[in-house]
Structure formats: C-alpha cells, structure tokens
Amino acid sequence: MTESDRPQPHVAVPLNGYWTEWSARAARNAAPGWAALVGEMAGLQDTFAAAAPPPEAVAEARSLVEQTRAVLARHEVGDDDQWFGRFLPAPDRGQTFSPPIRLTGITEHALAGKTMFGRFHSGNNSAAHGGGIALLFDDLFGRLVSVGDIPPARTASLSVNYRSVTPLDEPLAVEASVAEVDGRKLYLTGTLRHGDRLCADATALFLTLRPEQIRPAEAEAPPG
Ligand SMILES: CCCCCCCCCCCCCCCC(=O)SCCNC(=O)CCNC(=O)[C@H](O)C(C)(C)COP(=O)(O)OP(=O)(O)OC[C@H]1O[C@@H](n2cnc3c(N)ncnc32)[C@H](O)[C@@H]1OP(=O)(O)O
C-alpha cells in the first residue's frame, strides 16, 4: 500500500436540506451500536462469501443467523423509519449493499474518494462483479447530486465501460463530477482506478425530481 492509498479522513458532505433531515432523523432514532452492527454485517457478507465450511460449521452458522434474523424481525419498521442506508455522513452510509466510499475531496461539482471491493462483491477470478461496479458508480453519483442545494434526483440512465479488471481487497480511487446541467438534467461522469490503471469509467443522467415526485423527509415518527 502506498502512502496515497492509506485511508484518509472521511470528509463530511454538505448535504442539501432534504437529505440532511432524512439522515438526521435516522441518527436521532438509531440505537447506540447500530453503526457497529452495520460493520459486522458487512464483514459477515465478505466472510460468508469466502467460506467453505464443513457441515457442522454450516449448521452452527445457519442457526446463529436464524437467531439474529428472529431478533431483528421483532423490530421491523416501514422504510420511512428504517436506519439502514441513512447515515449519510458515514463512508458506508449505514448500509451493506454497496462498498463504503471514504470521501477525500468534495466540491459542489465533484467528489473524490477511496473504496475497496471485498469477497462479497466478487464476480470471478478475484475480479469485482460488473454489477457491483455499476452499483458503486450509482451510489457515488447519488452522493454527488446530494451535495449543496440540488433538489433530490434519481438515476435516469447509467452507462459503465469496464476498461480493465477491478481487483478485490485493493484500495481503489473513485472520482465523479458534474459534466453539465441542463434544467432538471444532470450529466455526470466518473472513474474507478487501481493505482494509475483505469478499471472503469461511467456516465450517468440524473433527473432532479419535480415537487410532486418527492416524498416528505421531515415527517417525524412517534418515538420508539
Ligand atoms: C456521504 C455523503 C452522502 C451524500 C448523500 C447521499 C444521499 C443518498 C445517497 C443515495 C445513493 C444512492 C443513489 C441511488 C440513486 C438511484 O439509484 S435512484 C433509483 C433508480 N432510478 C429510478 O428508480 C428512476 C426511475 N425513473 C423515474 O422515476 C423517472 O423516469 C424519472 C427518472 C424521475 C424521470 O421521469 P420524469 O420526471 O417524468 O421525466 P420526463 O418528464 O419523462 O423526462 C424529463 C426529461 O428527461 C429525459 N429523460 C428521461 N429519462 C431519460 C433517460 N433514461 N435517458 C435520457 N433522457 C431521459 C426526457 O427525454 C426529458 O427530456 P426533455 O424532453 O425535457 O428534453
């Protein structure tokens, strides 16, 4: 690992008002330890993907996971009230779907950061899955369009070019920027690199939502 690959402090994103409230509400309500549980779950995904356990270990692991599901299922809420994915200032956003992105530079029109794919996102032959790479770009672009005063936006189209193999368990650099704004249309570009090597680049069209397409984020749930 070179010096520039070492984890750098994560930069907090100046979020637009919609996402600020959406995220703050989860932070207000979340139980202590939730962020650590998210980290365990992400680690579990990678460990699970990498394991070839004997029958007794399969049975033990299955029983433990069943117990965990039963504990969590007793506290199921609707998606307006979930915490998963809503810790926007954190590199993993409090979710385990896409790899954490540790942001190292932010302007209103560009983001840069570091990420890494683990075994959970493996395609084959120690290469990251192409769908996982598209997911990474969608998440990165989603963060970019949430910076500053841009109203909430959704992906209308996403195109990825896979230029070379993306390795697992290696630090990767991501960059995204707003190439053009045309009314509600945000044209975005991004790159994923391993060292000096370009692994993938992407373009996307995000559309800011019309007011009637936005669900209110500020509706306060009853405590508990
Ligand atoms: C730590 C920091 C945290 C930061 C904070 C993070 C915040 C949180 C992070 C979340 C990170 C995850 C981010 C995931 C982001 C998703 O993945 S969003 C989910 C995936 N996307 C969707 O589900 C969208 C589904 N589609 C739709 O809802 C609708 O089609 C859309 C996109 C809203 C557009 O519908 P519409 O508003 O009715 O637009 P419409 O009037 O049809 O078209 C407007 C214009 O766009 C054009 N257009 C529409 N679609 C297209 C298209 N596909 N191609 C080309 N042109 C198009 C039209 O031709 C039209 O052009 P003009 O005629 O005006 O020139």
Side-chain angles (χ1 to χ4, degrees):
M1 187 183 283
T2 66
E3 189 54 40
S4 65
D5 290 331
R6 289 186 194 288
Q8 296 163 34
H10 178 65
V11 182
V13 172
L15 296 169
N16 70 29
Y18 180 88
W19 293 120
T20 301
E21 178 49 31
W22 191 75
S23 186
R25 186 173 153 210
R28 276 196 302 274
N29 295 337
W34 168 255
L37 175 60
V38 172
E40 280 300 323
M41 290 293 291
L44 175 62
Q45 291 177 170
D46 283 329
T47 305
F48 176 46
E56 58 278 12
V58 168
E60 183 183 2
R62 179 180 170 185
S63 167
L64 290 169
V65 172
E66 279 176 354
Q67 288 174 50
T68 303
R69 283 189 63 182
V71 168
L72 297 175
R74 288 201 287 276
H75 305 284
E76 182 176 335
V77 294
D79 69 354
D80 276 346
D81 295 316
Q82 75 179 42
W83 305 332
F84 187 88
R86 295 191 166 205
F87 284 74
L88 300 184
D92 64 10
R93 293 198 294 110
Q95 54 84 48
T96 63
F97 185 46
S98 55
I101 303 172
R102 186 171 294 279
L103 296 171
T104 53
I106 300 172
T107 69
E108 198 176 334
H109 301 291
L111 292 180
K114 298 281 184 183
T115 192
M116 189 182 288
F117 287 100
R119 288 288 285 276
F120 179 68
H121 290 101
S122 175
N124 202 2
N125 291 331
S126 299
H129 193 293
I133 293 168
L135 170 64
L136 174 75
F137 276 119
D138 198 25
D139 210 84
L140 181 69
F141 289 144
R143 295 178 196 219
L144 176 59
V145 301
S146 306
V147 173
D149 291 329
I150 301 173
R154 283 201 193 115
T155 323
S157 73
L158 174 66
S159 173
V160 181
N161 298 304
Y162 300 93
R163 305 291 186 183
S164 67
V165 164
T166 300
L168 303 178
D169 299 320
E170 290 282 335
L172 305 166
V174 288
E175 288 184 357
S177 58
V178 180
E180 188 188 339
V181 180
D182 175 15
R184 293 174 56 212
K185 296 176 190 171
L186 305 167
Y187 294 92
L188 312 174
T189 63
T191 57
L192 173 68
R193 293 177 195 278
H194 179 226
D196 292 336
R197 183 166 55 80
L198 181 64
C199 300
D201 53 53
T203 56
L205 170 64
F206 273 59
L207 283 174
T208 58
L209 299 182
R210 296 189 297 264
E212 67 274 18
Q213 294 171 317
I214 302 173
R215 290 198 316 180
E218 63 277 7
E220 188 59 73

